[in-house]
Amino acid sequence: TIVLAVMMSGTTAACISQSMMIAALPTIMHEYSVSASLGQLLTTSYIFTLGLISAMTAYLVHRVDSKKLFIAAMVCFVAGCAAALVAPNYPLLLASRLLQAGGAGIALSVYPKSEYGRAMGLVGLIIGFAPALGPTVSGFLIDFWGWRSVFVILGAVSAVVVVLSFFVLSDVVKREGSRERFDV
């Protein structure tokens, strides 16, 4: 239960991050003087990268210890949050979002087989509620502390998940000697 709670916390941060930028877009577009179509890239490129990385996870899970993979994914997500927090221009903010998505795509896919049913049910709830909660939570944060506060909160939650992961997670995927091939 503790392992699942830690992993679900990371998954929640990754999922809610997809939609949290929606409320921040007008402010970001104004601050960086970018058009709506460029501003929207912060959300669409995140989702696109998330999908690409998620597709690679089956290959990675058979090559890398799942604990290390999950921690690396969450560190990548935290690094993306930190980079977004200090991004001095739009291209670096966009690159930060892609770094976040790279971590989120892996974090969403690493669960022990014995927990698949339960995890998929919880992930389904998270994925279902994230689009509704993300803009609401980020709108509140933006109104009180500015758009960068979204990255502070996501980064802080994810950093706690990384620390807890060192102590509570173990390798959950059995590698059966077959070398998976990544089909580009």
Side-chain angles (χ1 to χ4, degrees):
T1 303
I2 293 171
V3 170
L4 191 59
V6 168
M7 293 181 89
M8 294 310 291
S9 297
T11 301
T12 300
C15 284
I16 205 166
S17 177
Q18 293 179 39
S19 61
M20 287 185 95
M21 282 292 90
I22 293 169
L25 286 179
T27 307
I28 291 170
M29 288 168 17
H30 177 73
E31 183 172 324
Y32 291 120
S33 300
V34 296
S35 67
S37 57
L38 274 180
Q40 185 185 10
L41 274 177
L42 293 174
T43 56
T44 55
S45 64
Y46 182 94
I47 293 168
F48 181 73
T49 303
L50 185 74
L52 289 175
I53 298 296
S54 294
M56 290 176 27
T57 302
Y59 171 77
L60 292 172
V61 157
H62 291 287
R63 298 270 180 168
V64 180
D65 176 295
S66 59
K67 176 180 179 175
K68 290 177 186 169
L69 186 59
F70 182 78
I71 290 171
M74 292 310 301
V75 166
C76 185
F77 189 81
V78 170
C81 288
L85 184 61
V86 297
N89 56 43
Y90 179 80
L92 289 176
L93 179 61
L94 182 59
S96 301
R97 286 291 286 167
L98 298 178
L99 183 59
Q100 271 186 305
I106 293 170
L108 294 174
S109 304
V110 182
Y111 288 96
K113 279 191 176 184
S114 63
E115 298 289 331
Y116 275 3
R118 191 162 128 194
M120 289 308 292
L122 290 171
V123 168
L125 282 172
I126 291 168
I127 290 171
F129 282 112
L133 291 178
T136 305
V137 171
S138 66
F140 174 79
L141 291 172
I142 292 163
D143 283 349
F144 286 96
W145 298 294
W147 68 267
R148 293 178 193 269
S149 66
V150 169
F151 296 109
V152 171
I153 299 300
L154 289 173
V157 168
S158 300
V160 169
V161 168
V162 168
V163 171
L164 291 174
S165 295
F166 277 107
F167 300 107
V168 301
L169 296 186
S170 60
D171 188 19
V172 295
V173 177
K174 304 275 189 281
R175 285 176 285 290
E176 295 137 5
S178 68
R179 300 307 266 172
E180 295 289 324
R181 197 173 67 79
F182 183 68
D183 186 357
V184 177

